[in-house]
Amino acid sequence: MDRSIRHYNMGRSCLLAIAAFGAVNTLLALLGQNMYFLFSNFLAYISALFCRDLYSETGEGVLLVIGAVIALVVLGLFLLCWLLSKKRPGWLIAGLVLMVIDTLVVIYCAFTLFDNPAQLALDFVFHVIMIVELVLGVIGAQKAAAAMKPQETVEPWEQQPAEIQNDEDN
C-alpha cells in the first residue's frame, strides 16, 4: 500500500509541477523571453506566445491580456485538479485527461505550426512521462482505496453450495 500511496502522491505532485512550470513559461512568453521549461503545460504557453507575437505585430495591449487569460484558465484547471485530488482521487483522472489533451495540442502544433516537427520532440517525450506519472497515480489511488475498504463478512450459509442449503431447509 505504501507504493500505491507514493504513486498517488507523485501523480498529484506532477499536476502541481505542470501548473507551476506552466505559469513560469506563460509569464516568460508574455514578457517576450526565449526561455521554456519542458515539464509544463503546452497549451497555456503556446497561447501566451501566440498572443505575444500578435502584440509585437499590432501593438494592441489587449492581446497580451487575452493570452494571459487563456493561459490562466488552462493553468487554473490543472491547479484545481491538484487541489481537489487531495480528498477526491477522481480529480487525478481529470488532470490526466487534461494532460492527454495538452499532448494532442503538442502533436497538432508540431505538424501544423512548426516547419520541423522534431522541434517539439522533447516536449512530446516529457508529456509522455507526465502521462505515465498520472496514470500510475490514478492506479495507485485505486489500489489504496481498495486496500482501505473494509472486507465484507460472509456468513457461513452464504459460503455453502445452493443444494446443501436447500437440503437443510427440508
Side-chain angles (χ1 to χ4, degrees):
M1 187 158 95
D2 280 340
R3 188 174 189 179
S4 299
I5 292 173
R6 252 193 344 260
H7 283 300
Y8 168 65
N9 288 331
M10 283 298 294
R12 289 193 71 241
S13 297
C14 186
L15 285 176
L16 182 60
I18 291 166
F21 285 126
V24 171
N25 284 344
T26 298
L27 183 63
L28 291 173
L30 290 172
L31 294 174
Q33 300 297 314
N34 290 327
M35 226 173 136
Y36 176 73
F37 293 102
L38 289 171
F39 201 86
S40 69
N41 178 278
F42 187 78
L43 183 58
Y45 171 74
I46 201 71
S47 64
L49 188 64
F50 180 71
C51 289
R52 174 65 189 188
D53 287 346
L54 288 176
Y55 167 74
S56 296
E57 292 175 11
T58 64
E60 295 287 326
V62 71
L63 293 170
L64 288 176
V65 173
I66 291 170
V69 168
I70 293 169
L72 283 174
V73 168
V74 172
L75 294 171
L77 289 172
F78 277 96
L79 193 59
L80 182 70
C81 288
W82 172 74
L83 284 170
L84 296 177
S85 68
K86 183 170 185 169
K87 297 206 183 225
R88 299 197 183 264
W91 282 95
L92 202 58
I93 296 171
L96 173 62
V97 170
L98 288 173
M99 199 66 236
V100 168
I101 292 170
D102 195 65
T103 304
L104 294 174
V105 170
V106 170
I107 294 168
Y108 175 78
C109 289
F111 289 104
T112 58
L113 299 179
F114 289 84
D115 296 331
N116 183 6
Q119 287 177 306
L120 293 180
L122 276 177
D123 281 293
F124 180 73
V125 168
F126 273 87
H127 273 69
V128 168
I129 291 170
M130 290 183 279
I131 288 172
V132 167
E133 284 295 327
L134 290 170
V135 167
L136 289 174
V138 168
I139 292 169
Q142 291 173 346
K143 284 183 179 178
M148 289 182 187
K149 189 182 286 187
Q151 296 294 328
E152 295 179 5
T153 57
V154 178
E155 299 297 331
W157 60 84
E158 292 176 346
Q159 294 176 353
Q160 296 176 358
E163 56 271 357
I164 295 174
Q165 286 181 353
N166 290 338
D167 289 340
E168 291 175 338
D169 291 338
N170 292 333

